[in-house]
Amino acid sequence: MSDKVGRSFFLICGFLMLFYSLLIGFSTIYTGDFFVGHELVFLGSTVMAFCLSYLYPQFKEGDERSKKIRERGMFFSYFFILGYMIILMPLLQFEIINLNGYQTVSLLTALTMITVFSSFVILSKRY
């Protein structure tokens, strides 16, 4: 698969996921059930697809640079994800925000996907 085909595949998937996330988001707002949970997972998938579209030529080669980007990205993401959990715990404990289990897991999933792949993009510009 050439670079253009791989990038365009992820770009098309990104726009498709963006369409789905907007459609699902608007439908849950329209029905009055906004923030069911899965809306953010679709949004996280959208960010992931766009980031993979950008990163495809670098990750396709599988060289030392791409391995370093992945390692550092996961390392930095770990601390951000830990921070998200530390912030969410008191917010949930003191009932500042009310989320059920599915919403909480969906929120953490979306934040994890966005953080990991955004850190890959940021680190790819650095290394």
Side-chain angles (χ1 to χ4, degrees):
M1 192 183 310
S2 71
D3 286 350
K4 281 194 158 207
V5 173
R7 285 184 105 167
S8 60
F9 171 74
F10 285 117
L11 197 61
I12 290 169
C13 286
F15 281 115
L16 189 62
M17 292 302 292
L18 179 63
F19 173 72
Y20 285 153
S21 62
L22 289 174
L23 182 69
I24 290 173
F26 285 136
S27 66
T28 55
I29 289 170
Y30 183 71
T31 60
D33 293 331
F34 184 64
F35 193 53
V36 175
H38 52 269
E39 305 95 342
L40 291 180
V41 176
F42 274 103
L43 185 65
S45 299
T46 301
V47 172
M48 180 183 71
F50 285 131
C51 289
L52 285 174
S53 171
Y54 177 79
L55 294 167
Y56 179 77
Q58 297 153 5
F59 281 4
K60 183 183 113 176
E61 297 174 16
D63 59 351
E64 179 87 19
R65 182 175 173 265
S66 67
K67 289 179 185 176
K68 188 171 186 174
I69 291 169
R70 287 183 189 143
E71 287 174 8
R72 296 277 184 174
M74 292 301 292
F75 178 75
F76 291 133
S77 297
Y78 169 77
F79 292 105
F80 277 100
I81 294 165
L82 193 61
Y84 299 149
M85 291 181 193
I86 290 170
I87 290 170
L88 273 176
M89 278 192 260
L91 291 176
L92 292 170
Q93 177 68 31
F94 297 120
E95 296 181 5
I96 296 170
I97 58 173
N98 290 324
L99 300 175
N100 63 28
Y102 182 73
Q103 290 171 331
T104 306
V105 171
S106 296
L107 178 65
L108 284 174
T109 301
L111 287 173
T112 300
M113 290 177 7
I114 291 170
T115 303
V116 168
F117 288 98
S118 298
S119 69
F120 287 169
V121 170
I122 292 167
L123 289 171
S124 73
K125 294 182 181 201
R126 184 174 177 193
Y127 294 113

